[in-house]
Amino acid sequence: MRGWWREIAGLILPVACGGCGRPRTELCPKCARALTGTAPRRVRPEPEPAGLPAVHAAAPYADAVREVLLAHKERGALALAGPLGGALAGAVEAAAGAVAGSGDGPLLLVPVPSSRRSVRARGHDPTRRIALAAAGRLRRAGRDVRVVPVLRQRRYVADQAGLGARGRLANLSGALEVVPGGARLLAAGTVVLVDDLMTTGASLAEAARALGAVQLSFISEIPHGLAAASAQHGFEQRAAAVIASSPASFEINRNSSRSWIVAGGER
């Protein structure tokens, strides 16, 4: 069922909470609190892939949060993009606040892309939809925010289901690239990579690598001095925000800088 048909169906068919199944509501107050009731935190996978930017997560990936994410991504509950975008907006604020000089220029949200195969199967691009909802929430709060979907897959990527950390890194290595002209867009502000869920960190690390791959070539094309320094700063100060990550990350990182083992999730 395509995305537009899901939206029409949602107007005429009975709805149930995406988190707990409570009837006659798309998201009940209890499940809504599960998305935003925990302050966004810095999280790290174990092992932590090289090049992973600083990642902030809004909520643990468990129970109602897991069900809401799956309902939006896999079951076409498109109205959940609003509350999910609100949760992502909080993580974006935390991520941007940890970046030096993030007040210069707009905040640029770069979604980690899904494969064309996944988008066709689902009838929508869940991460991009949530990123747009997050940007809208942040703009209403007075932030200058843009969604800049400049990443794309440059080669086939196998299904990540069943792959461990090393397998996912190998599967995604070199899989992403910046679209032509994307580097100039990224130089205009502070970049925050966004995704719905972090598992091993492989997707975010590959996205960060792809952004970094265009850095030197872009800077070499512009005059040296202030403009070049500003562009380099914009590329170097990358951060990332996700809606959910492993519950263990929220428990362990309260008292320790040690990493945690991620769980669950699939692009």
Side-chain angles (χ1 to χ4, degrees), residues 7-177:
E7 294 191 34
I8 294 174
L11 298 175
I12 59 176
L13 297 177
V15 297
C17 174
C20 65
R22 180 179 177 180
R24 298 183 181 180
T25 178
E26 289 168 338
L27 189 66
C28 73
K30 181 179 179 180
C31 293
R33 286 193 298 272
L35 282 173
T36 57
T38 303
R41 291 181 178 273
R42 170 77 185 273
V43 289
R44 295 183 177 92
E46 173 61 42
E48 183 172 348
L52 182 70
V55 183
H56 284 74
Y61 184 66
D63 303 325
V65 173
R66 179 179 59 243
E67 293 305 315
V68 171
L69 280 169
L70 290 174
H72 174 260
K73 177 186 281 188
E74 307 295 352
R75 298 195 290 273
L78 303 184
L80 293 174
L84 288 170
L88 181 60
V92 168
E93 286 277 29
V99 175
S102 61
D104 301 332
L107 203 56
L108 307 177
L109 307 188
V110 179
V112 175
S114 297
S115 68
R116 293 180 181 178
R117 180 181 66 257
S118 295
V119 172
R120 285 195 301 269
R122 293 167 178 153
H124 72 123
D125 186 334
T127 302
R128 185 169 179 176
R129 183 182 290 270
I130 293 170
L132 289 168
R137 181 71 64 93
L138 291 166
R139 279 195 291 269
R140 289 192 292 273
R143 273 279 202 174
D144 184 3
V145 183
R146 305 171 193 171
V147 176
V148 189
V150 297
L151 289 172
R152 67 183 180 188
Q153 289 195 345
R154 61 187 296 267
R155 64 165 177 79
Y156 173 79
V157 174
D159 192 335
Q160 298 266 77
L163 296 179
R166 290 185 178 180
R168 291 189 179 210
L169 282 172
N171 186 41
L172 291 170
S173 179
L176 301 180
E177 66 180 359

